[in-house]
Amino acid sequence: MTTATPAPAAARAARLATAILPVLAASVTGPLFTRPNIPTWYAGLAKPDFTPPNWLFPVAWSILYAMMALACWRILGTAPATGALRRTRTIALITFFAQLALNAAWTPVFFAAHDLFGGLVVIVALLALILWTIRLFWPLDRVAALLMVPYAGWVGYATLLNATIWRMN
């Protein structure tokens, strides 16, 4: 495990922006693409009994996005001493941002394109990258890795929901 090193104010601000801004950007895709589709297209789909109420999604996602940004911030603050851990940190950050891109891509595929199977493909890849991110975060910062676990659980649940909705429709 590595520890954070003190950084000048500009470096701390850059670290904070690097952790928050991409997560914030990914988070806006949800409302942009779901609001116009929930009362019309999504409401007309057959859904399983375990579908949560619509109000729960923004609550859950707000919490998860905050945890994701905090996890990224923690990883950005690590200063691995060894070459192997430096490489792991680089790969972990690439994987984190790749899963974030898939996170942002799922909503337009599922809601805007009305592509249930395409959404399923995206969310399965997303779940795999989240799990890989957790694995890569673990040796760098266990708290950061654990912050990603609820996200993996929610996306696992969403994957089951997506698959079931696809099958039912």
Side-chain angles (χ1 to χ4, degrees):
M1 192 167 326
T2 59
T3 59
T5 58
R12 285 193 305 269
R15 175 180 157 207
L16 189 61
T18 301
I20 292 174
L21 294 178
V23 173
L24 187 60
S27 75
V28 300
T29 62
L32 283 176
F33 293 100
T34 56
R35 281 196 185 122
N37 286 288
I38 284 182
T40 56
W41 173 76
Y42 184 74
L45 293 175
K47 291 181 262 328
D49 293 336
F50 61 88
T51 302
N54 289 338
W55 65 263
L56 182 60
F57 290 99
V59 173
W61 279 112
S62 295
I63 294 165
L64 294 170
Y65 281 127
M67 293 171 74
M68 290 163 56
L70 179 56
C72 181
W73 178 80
R74 291 182 63 92
I75 294 298
L76 287 166
T78 62
T82 67
L85 280 180
R86 274 195 304 271
R87 180 171 157 72
T88 298
R89 179 180 180 265
T90 300
I91 295 168
L93 288 168
I94 290 168
T95 306
F96 176 85
F97 290 115
Q99 68 77 27
L100 193 59
L102 286 174
N103 177 303
W106 180 84
T107 306
V109 170
F110 186 90
F111 280 100
H114 302 174
D115 187 350
L116 302 176
F117 182 72
L120 182 58
V121 170
V122 171
I123 204 166
V124 167
L126 171 60
L127 182 57
L129 281 183
I130 294 167
L131 294 172
W132 188 242
T133 300
I134 293 168
R135 164 64 182 86
L136 292 168
F137 278 13
W138 188 258
L140 299 166
D141 184 319
R142 290 189 176 142
V143 172
L146 292 172
L147 283 165
M148 297 289 288
V149 171
Y151 174 41
W154 181 258
V155 172
Y157 170 71
T159 302
L160 176 62
L161 186 61
N162 188 154
T164 306
I165 291 172
W166 170 65
R167 200 179 75 239
M168 293 175 74
N169 290 278

